[in-house]
Amino acid sequence: MAKEKGIKELEDLPGVGPTTAEKLKQLGYDTIEKIATASPHELAELTGMKLDAAKQAVDAAKQATTLEFKTASEVDAKRKSLGRIHTGAKSLDELLGGGVEANAITEAYGKFASGKTQLGFQLSVNVQRPVEQGGLGGKTLFIDTEGTFRPDRIEQIAKAAEMDTKSALENILVVRATTSDQQILAIERADKLVRESNVKLIVIDSLMSLFRSEYVGRGALNERQGKLNMHIHKLQKLADTYDLAVYITNQVMDNPAILFGDPTTPVGGNIVAHAATTRLYMRKSKEDKRIVRLVDSPNMPEGEAVIKITPDGIKD
Ligand code: GTP
Ligand code: MG
């Protein structure tokens, strides 16, 4: 956390003017903490600052930051007090340790029609319920990048849950993003909306489709990953600051490097892999059944749950 020493923004650091600050932000050094842990040589090289100036900036950033130490029991108490959104299926909730976690990013990846979007709809409705009923008592911000948001599905799911369908629809704020820049902006500008509208769930369906179609070829990969990194970082920050849940869907590709087992791999590389607190792999089974595999979780064992996609939403 940055101490109250007058140094709050990058621009407050000695030797860092508005242009350098902007450059640093674009390179992903967007907080005082990141400057504090950066190497002066690297900063100098990347921004064209003089090495001495970069050293001063890093020193000042170090002085302006303190670490807050907490005991494990404090951390434990905080984790237990965090809310969770029920998914509609008990087996999936149990697999997740109670549902989709607040203060974290949950990713669902899988092939087409595996149920990623449907789960997003279900969560968008369920988050509206009070905490005692498996929600977080808040609204949803839904970033639709594929044009697959369906209000009539929301209505159906809400009706089946005996909720007021009109308010269920009112409580979902939908942004249709058609470029990755729009997607990024929607999240960059979300703070005010999240605060004022009590948003407790942000859905991005899907995270990578626009990035993938716009940044084609090896040459564009660095730039893509840089932008993606900042985008995800902002999502994490929103999740932390406002105790909200983030649910992202992701596409898959076949990874020829995997010789044994299922070669299906989520796209987005390490940046997405590291950012997602919990990863779910969804695949189609018979008829309306879907198998959800918990692939990555900080505290739950790997395992699978079988769910059904019904007209009423996700069920056991
Ligand atoms: P992509 O976005 O194409 O990658 O797939 P996805 O994983 O998001 O799939 P989605 O969540 O859209 O799931 C599609 C499946 O849900 C389809 O196979 C349909 O069978 C099922 N589905 C969609 N709408 C309904 C509905 O109104 N009723 C029922 N029972 N099933 C539905
Ligand atoms: Mg979808």
Side-chain angles (χ1 to χ4, degrees):
M1 310 292 129
K3 256 198 233 162
E4 305 292 23
K5 269 201 178 171
I7 295 186
K8 286 188 183 141
E9 310 282 338
L10 298 191
E11 287 89 333
D12 301 333
L13 293 167
V16 177
T19 323
T20 310
E22 194 47 43
K23 247 190 216 165
L24 286 167
K25 282 178 200 164
Q26 284 186 2
L27 291 159
Y29 294 96
D30 50 357
T31 62
I32 303 287
E33 280 81 7
K34 285 188 188 169
I35 304 287
T37 54
S39 104
H41 286 276
E42 195 180 323
L43 290 191
E45 200 166 297
L46 288 169
T47 60
M49 290 169 85
K50 290 227 168 65
L51 183 59
D52 275 350
K55 274 185 185 153
Q56 270 189 20
V58 172
D59 280 344
K62 277 187 181 149
Q63 290 198 5
T65 51
T66 56
L67 283 175
E68 213 186 309
F69 288 94
K70 284 194 184 125
T71 65
S73 59
E74 281 171 323
V75 175
D76 188 47
K78 163 106 172 135
R79 289 213 76 77
K80 286 197 176 124
S81 73
L82 295 179
R84 286 176 183 272
I85 310 169
H86 286 183
T87 62
K90 278 231 159 60
S91 57
L92 181 52
D93 287 346
E94 274 163 23
L95 187 70
L96 289 164
V100 168
E101 239 183 324
N103 293 66
I105 299 181
T106 301
E107 174 195 3
Y109 68 90
K111 294 194 173 127
F112 66 93
S114 56
K116 308 179 292 293
T117 297
Q118 297 299 318
L119 180 54
F121 291 166
Q122 184 75 56
L123 293 171
S124 301
V125 171
N126 287 3
V127 69
Q128 302 179 28
R129 314 192 75 140
V131 175
E132 317 80 70
Q133 292 174 30
L136 297 175
K139 295 187 186 175
T140 299
L141 173 59
F142 198 111
I143 319 277
D144 176 18
T145 74
E146 300 186 334
T148 50
F149 182 79
R150 295 285 175 273
D152 44 316
R153 280 295 286 147
I154 299 292
E155 238 178 314
Q156 263 181 311
I157 293 171
K159 196 164 174 205
E162 292 175 351
M163 291 164 71
D164 177 40
T165 53
K166 196 159 166 256
S167 49
L169 287 166
E170 291 287 317
N171 288 335
I172 303 177
L173 312 156
V174 187
V175 180
R176 169 81 172 102
T178 54
T179 65
S180 65
D181 283 333
Q182 285 179 354
Q183 182 181 331
I184 289 169
L185 272 182
I187 294 302
E188 285 297 325
R189 295 185 182 161
D191 283 274
K192 190 162 175 273
L193 185 71
V194 165
R195 243 191 342 263
E196 288 173 2
S197 304
N198 188 33
V199 169
K200 284 291 170 190
L201 170 70
I202 297 178
V203 177
I204 302 195
D205 185 20
S206 71
L207 179 72
M208 291 299 301
S209 56
L210 297 170
F211 283 97
R212 278 181 101 196
S213 62
E214 289 168 29
Y215 295 89
V216 180
R218 277 193 157 270
L221 200 60
N222 270 341
E223 195 189 345
R224 184 190 91 177
Q225 292 305 86
K227 287 212 167 179
L228 194 59
N229 193 21
M230 279 194 276
H231 184 45
I232 290 179
H233 188 76
K234 177 73 197 187
L235 279 170
Q236 275 168 332
K237 208 163 162 194
L238 287 168
D240 278 345
T241 312
Y242 301 106
D243 290 336
L244 55 81
V246 174
Y247 172 78
I248 58 182
T249 69
N250 201 0
Q251 303 164 307
V252 294
M253 58 180 180
D254 278 340
N255 184 349
I258 298 177
L259 297 177
F260 302 100
D262 190 343
T264 311
T265 305
V267 302
N270 283 334
I271 286 178
V272 180
H274 289 151
T277 323
T278 298
R279 306 193 102 180
L280 295 169
Y281 173 31
M282 300 181 73
R283 59 191 201 276
K284 235 182 138 185
S285 176
K286 289 206 180 85
E287 288 144 30
D288 57 355
K289 289 202 189 102
R290 299 291 185 277
I291 300 162
V292 187
R293 179 164 190 82
L294 182 68
V295 180
D296 210 347
S297 157
N299 47 15
M300 297 300 291
E302 279 205 16
E304 287 187 348
V306 181
I307 60 167
K308 262 184 169 181
I309 303 178
T310 76
D312 291 349
I314 308 280
K315 303 278 171 218
D316 273 297

